[in-house]
Amino acid sequence: MIHPTAIVDPLAEIDSNVSIGPYALIKSDVHIGSGTTIGPYTTIEQYTTIGENCRIFQYASVGGAPQDLKFHGEKTHLKIGRGTIIREFVTINRGTESGGGITEVGEENYLMAYTHIAHDCKTGKQVILANNSTLAGHIIIGDNVTVGGLVAIHQFVQIGDFAYIGGKSAVVKDIPPYVIASGDRATLHGLNNVGLKRHNFPKSTLQELKKAYRIFFRIGLTVKQASERVKAEVEQIAEVKNFVEFIIKSNRGVTR
């Protein structure tokens, strides 16, 4: 199912159940899993692995060399998880040697038009990046995160699970899990209640997360003071532990 105008390097490993559209360019050392569709005029660069049942729309550029002045042609990689959708004009760069050598896009991600994922980024499962979302290098995004349109995220920032970042935001510090953040520069606006309810978080979990959020961000405590109070006053369910651990381990400092 390869269009006759597509150019496919003979060293590319492509499952027999892959569709490749007109004028697509597939280079060597590319691996494409069963059920994946590659749209017209798409470029898949070297050292890229694409999982099963992905859909890549026209004019996407996947696996390009990192935009890093320290990069000098080293063999680095890009891995895209199964079921991911990549819309028009998305650009994803592979990793750098100094950053671990790999960029990883998780399973069932939805990358809308003009999204950019730079070198050495990692996204979790079911991440949504809306139009013109821009990820600088070395960013880590957890599971079930939604990033609004025209959002710019600074390099080395981490975004926790189930967080929601509003459109046209500039994110320069870490975003804890389960929260909403927006603005230039981004600030927190409480829990992501709508998103958590859509993912069937029980009411009791939301109540405990709300207590922990208030202790950390509403009463002027240091991280150490807040973590001690949460341990003493909030039920230690898995989500609360994840929330606290993320904040304690943050290297850049968390958005407040």
Side-chain angles (χ1 to χ4, degrees):
M1 299 174 69
I2 299 176
H3 194 275
T5 62
I7 300 174
V8 180
D9 192 287
L11 295 179
E13 296 183 7
I14 300 171
D15 189 273
S16 60
N17 190 31
V18 168
S19 175
I20 299 176
Y23 301 102
L25 174 61
I26 314 296
K27 296 192 177 180
S28 63
D29 296 298
V30 168
H31 304 263
I32 304 177
S34 175
T36 290
T37 299
I38 308 295
Y41 297 96
T42 292
T43 299
I44 312 295
E45 299 279 0
Q46 281 184 299
Y47 314 127
T48 296
T49 299
I50 301 171
E52 297 180 352
N53 300 315
C54 294
R55 187 175 181 188
I56 302 178
F57 283 71
Q58 56 267 30
Y59 297 103
S61 178
V62 177
Q67 298 176 103
D68 187 328
L69 295 175
K70 300 186 296 297
F71 181 76
H72 299 292
E74 300 86 358
K75 182 179 178 179
T76 58
H77 299 272
L78 167 66
K79 181 179 179 181
I80 296 173
R82 64 167 182 81
T84 287
I85 297 173
I86 298 174
R87 293 302 303 248
E88 299 85 351
F89 298 100
V90 168
T91 55
I92 310 174
N93 297 156
R94 63 184 193 270
T96 63
E97 193 172 54
S98 62
I102 186 169
T103 301
E104 295 185 69
V105 177
E107 296 180 352
E108 298 179 356
N109 281 205
Y110 197 119
L111 312 182
M112 298 186 190
Y114 292 95
T115 294
H116 173 68
I117 298 179
H119 57 86
D120 306 297
C121 289
K122 292 178 173 59
T123 69
K125 296 179 181 179
Q126 297 182 342
V127 171
I128 298 173
L129 303 181
N131 300 67
N132 291 100
S133 299
T134 303
L135 276 58
H138 310 279
I139 291 168
I140 298 176
I141 295 182
D143 296 338
N144 299 101
V145 171
T146 298
V147 179
L150 297 167
V151 170
I153 304 179
H154 195 282
Q155 58 261 41
F156 295 101
V157 161
Q158 297 192 35
I159 312 294
D161 300 338
F162 294 95
Y164 182 97
I165 302 176
K168 207 178 178 182
S169 296
V171 180
V172 297
K173 291 189 176 182
D174 295 346
I175 305 291
Y178 316 116
V179 303
I180 288 178
S182 67
D184 182 9
R185 299 305 193 248
T187 56
L188 300 187
H189 297 273
L191 293 182
N192 179 19
N193 286 307
V194 173
L196 296 177
K197 289 176 182 177
R198 286 176 177 171
H199 284 91
N200 300 314
F201 279 68
K203 186 176 180 180
S204 59
T205 298
L206 299 183
Q207 289 173 341
E208 298 307 312
L209 284 171
K210 186 175 181 180
K211 292 176 187 176
Y213 180 94
R214 180 180 178 277
I215 291 170
F216 268 98
F217 299 116
R218 296 299 192 200
I219 56 179
L221 301 178
T222 65
V223 169
K224 182 179 179 180
Q225 291 169 335
S227 61
E228 290 172 352
R229 280 195 58 171
V230 168
K231 188 175 182 179
E233 300 177 17
V234 181
E235 184 179 349
Q236 297 301 293
I237 59 176
E239 292 81 5
V240 169
K241 290 181 179 179
N242 185 31
F243 181 79
V244 174
E245 184 178 16
F246 182 97
I247 296 170
I248 291 173
K249 290 185 175 181
S250 171
N251 291 320
R252 291 188 61 80
V254 296
T255 302
R256 291 183 170 270

